[in-house]
Amino acid sequence: MSTSKQRRTFLIFLSAVSALPLLACDRKIDISARTPVWDRDTCVRCKMALGDPQNSAQIIDPKTGNAFMFDDLGCAIAWLNENQPAWRSEAVVYVNDATDGAWLKLEDAVLAMPYITPMSFGIAAFSHKEKVEGDKTVVTAQEAEKIVLDTVRERKQKREQNQHQHQQPPEHQHEHERDEPHGHEQNEPQQEQPQHESLQEHAPQQPLR
């Protein structure tokens, strides 16, 4: 190969390599809300199927455009806090409008409670405050996050208590039942039967139970 041809080939290669960053910059990442396959797509956190088009949520990774689906806004909030992804502060969170199912950005939504939601976190979203029923309470995103995290913590403590009780042998679970009398038998002294007066005036006393 001649020197001129080699030089031309090298320049073409160099131009192609130089253009790669420009192509990467031009690639637009899709951060729009996705449409789930209802009753088939599953929640990333609790693994339940998404079946409520008025109370689901999704989180978009702004770096890659990857979407994470959730069957309850509470699951989405809890997942962000539990996993702490590097892009958490830039995450794009969508939630359904509880009246018509439209996807809303969490930052634009009006949140209220208590409502019936798939995982019982009880927080619903609306596009306008006027859609919130009169007996419900409007909460901020920060208040909603605290409610969700408190609920998660309480549920975890309850599970741990139940597991501890189930792991105890039966003799330990009912130990106090053998050692201590029940109810009023613990403190009430035995009453003496009257030794005189007729049976017609005083019927025999029933034994304490």
Side-chain angles (χ1 to χ4, degrees):
M1 181 181 293
S2 66
T3 304
S4 59
K5 186 175 288 187
Q6 288 178 338
R7 189 168 181 273
R8 188 165 54 251
T9 302
F10 175 74
L11 290 174
I12 293 173
F13 172 76
L14 188 61
S15 299
V17 170
S18 300
L20 289 177
L22 297 176
L23 292 174
C25 292
D26 289 341
R27 187 173 70 89
K28 188 175 181 180
I29 297 175
D30 183 9
I31 59 171
S32 61
R34 313 294 200 270
T35 301
V37 180
W38 299 107
D39 298 317
R40 182 180 299 178
D41 286 348
T42 57
C43 175
V44 174
R45 182 174 184 271
C46 71
K47 311 307 179 186
M48 300 293 288
L50 275 69
D52 187 345
Q54 276 72 47
N55 286 290
S56 298
Q58 57 181 285
I59 298 174
I60 309 296
D61 176 353
K63 305 294 186 184
T64 63
N66 291 337
F68 302 85
M69 298 293 180
F70 302 89
D71 64 337
D72 191 305
L73 174 60
C75 277
I77 294 173
W79 183 85
L80 272 179
N81 280 270
E82 292 164 352
N83 290 273
Q84 296 287 326
W87 41 270
R88 177 188 174 191
S89 61
E90 304 174 69
V92 183
V93 183
Y94 291 97
V95 63
N96 291 124
D97 186 310
T99 57
D100 58 20
W103 287 108
L104 310 170
K105 281 190 176 181
L106 181 59
E107 61 197 57
D108 299 328
V110 176
L111 305 179
M113 64 175 296
Y115 283 88
I116 298 174
T117 62
M119 295 306 293
S120 299
F121 285 102
I123 301 171
F126 303 88
S127 59
H128 298 92
K129 189 175 181 179
E130 290 73 23
K131 292 185 176 182
V132 179
E133 297 173 21
D135 61 339
K136 308 302 181 184
T137 301
V138 173
V139 295
T140 65
Q142 290 75 21
E143 290 171 334
E145 181 177 5
K146 184 179 184 305
I147 291 167
V148 168
L149 298 184
D150 286 346
T151 301
V152 169
R153 184 163 46 252
E154 291 169 4
R155 290 177 180 178
K156 182 180 179 181
Q157 291 174 349
K158 188 173 182 180
R159 284 197 303 270
E160 290 174 348
Q161 290 173 356
N162 291 337
Q163 290 173 358
H164 179 69
Q165 291 175 356
H166 292 157
Q167 289 170 358
Q168 284 187 331
E171 59 269 19
H172 292 301
Q173 291 182 14
H174 305 290
E175 196 172 33
H176 66 283
E177 297 178 2
R178 297 197 305 269
D179 295 340
E180 299 179 1
H182 294 281
H184 57 271
E185 294 179 355
Q186 183 174 352
N187 299 317
E188 292 186 4
Q190 292 288 338
Q191 298 183 10
E192 295 182 358
Q193 296 285 347
Q195 297 180 358
H196 58 282
E197 298 180 356
S198 67
L199 293 177
Q200 293 179 348
E201 294 175 353
H202 295 278
Q205 294 185 357
Q206 296 294 327
L208 293 175
R209 298 182 179 176

